Amino acid sequence: MGVIDLGEVRREAPATVVPERLLPHRALLALLSIALVVQVAAAAAPVPAPRPVIVPARLGDTMFLAHNRMMMVSGSATVVAQVSRRTISTYALPSAKLLTRTTVTVSGAINQVLLAGETILTSYQVDASGTWATVAVTKGTDQTRWRQTARLIAISPEDELVLLGTDDAVRGVDLLSGATRWSLRRPTDGYIAEAGWVGDYPRWLVLLNESGRLETRDPRTGALIATRVVPSRPGRANGLIWPVDDLVMADDGGPGVGAYRLPGLTALWHTDADLSTTWTQVGCGRLICAFLHQRGMTALDPATGRELWHSDRWAYAEGIGDYLLATRAERGLDEPGLWVIDPATGRPKGDFGRWEFLAPTGDGRFYAKLDVRGEYRVHYGVLDPATLSVRLLGTVEDVSDSCQATAGLFICRLIDASVAMWPLG
């Protein structure tokens, strides 16, 4: 009978306010000892995982996952301006069947590989100043369709359209030829942001220009949809914008920000919350989550703009079912890394110890992994934030890192650099 270090799954006692500072870890454990909920016994035997499917790979090879495909890029060219020919091997998931091998010539480190029909798009860094390039190659060949010095933003295979960005413009180009279909100039003192993502492509582009003109554009045609004038903030031509799902918040020149419904830019509400040094994200459950660049977050009601709570405790959070999964900016080696918090109050409900989030299951739970310290061993399972329970699915050996959950598989790099795949079902 082996011993599994599954961490501690803890349930926190109710609180009336969001704590401004944390109790010392030992004191917190003592206070909550009677409320511990441990669903997997620490002395239980490891759950043997089924025999994995192995895909050969070498040290330096880079793995990219997208939907039901895995792309393995050969070589480890990380030096910018270094021209190299790289092989992209495409595998079907979950079968791991090799489909094609594509050769692409790049002059720097590859950071993105996307598949669109018979075309593979690769984005790479051209120089140390942050210039990016995108190259399109016919799948299964070494035939380059086109190459442009621009950042790869998104692709729409059904429209055969690629969205590219530079310091000067955002443009839509033809997937097969690279010809520009439309171009939108980037304001010299303004912003262009993507909003309302569905799958791999945004529903709208939001632009704020030098005169304080707020616009929404169609990202498939570049056509203007709606406009609105936002008061400029004294001292600069315009403020900031924060697109979140189907609305955009804009710095309107006074304290706080205003929110407008996309794509028509209908005025919704104004909040006095100071978001000037924050960034926002989609996928924060029923909230708008604004995060400080150092630590802390503010939660807003997207229907009214009312500030629901603020806490300097959390560095990041995202929605899972009826809860938020949150991480702290600063924690010790033995402190929890994954907390469950109440979206309405920001109060912690409990934590999952050292478990690490992988992917949602789609039913309010999520897949996660737990690394065994000092060993090349990883546990993986399904975690439920509603009950703070852990269902162990398997224990695997010889795992180095880079584990992900997708296409019904738990996928990890092994210590010999090969890729192993275990079914999650």
Side-chain angles (χ1 to χ4, degrees), residues 2-8 40-44 46 334 354-355 370-373 375 377 379 392:
V3 175
I4 306 179
D5 175 14
L6 291 181
E8 293 173 317
V40 182
D334 294 319
R354 293 186 296 102
W355 283 87
L370 178 67
D371 297 315
V372 178
R373 290 174 180 163
E375 304 179 35
R377 174 183 293 181
H379 308 294
L392 191 62

Side-chain angles (χ1 to χ4, degrees), residues 66-69 71 112-121 139 145-146 152-163 172-177 181 197-202 219-220:
H67 305 299
N68 59 349
R69 294 291 185 266
M71 282 74 74
Q112 193 175 14
V113 177
L114 297 177
L115 180 63
E118 295 302 309
T119 304
I120 284 185
L121 292 163
K139 184 177 66 177
R145 294 186 184 273
W146 52 267
L152 176 58
I153 298 175
I155 57 172
S156 175
E158 61 272 21
D159 299 306
E160 295 188 339
L161 180 67
V162 182
L163 196 62
V173 306
D174 186 85
L175 172 65
L176 301 182
S177 68
R181 294 187 186 176
W197 287 79
V198 176
D200 296 326
Y201 207 81
R220 286 175 166 80

Side-chain angles (χ1 to χ4, degrees), residues 65 67-70 91-97 406-407 409 411 421:
L65 298 173
H67 305 299
N68 59 349
R69 294 291 185 266
M70 179 181 75
Y91 297 86
L93 299 178
S95 67
K97 177 184 177 182
T406 188
L409 297 170
I411 303 175
M421 305 180 183

Side-chain angles (χ1 to χ4, degrees), residues 346-406:
R347 294 195 296 261
K349 180 177 183 288
D351 70 82
F352 283 109
R354 293 186 296 102
W355 283 87
E356 298 175 42
F357 175 85
L358 291 175
T361 61
D363 60 0
R365 301 178 299 166
F366 61 97
Y367 296 111
K369 73 179 181 75
L370 178 67
D371 297 315
V372 178
R373 290 174 180 163
E375 304 179 35
Y376 295 110
R377 174 183 293 181
V378 173
H379 308 294
Y380 64 98
V382 176
L383 279 58
D384 189 343
T387 60
L388 292 176
S389 62
V390 175
R391 181 165 68 91
L392 191 62
L393 297 179
T395 302
V396 296
E397 308 287 344
D398 299 327
V399 173
S400 64
D401 204 352
S402 302
C403 293
Q404 301 181 57
T406 188

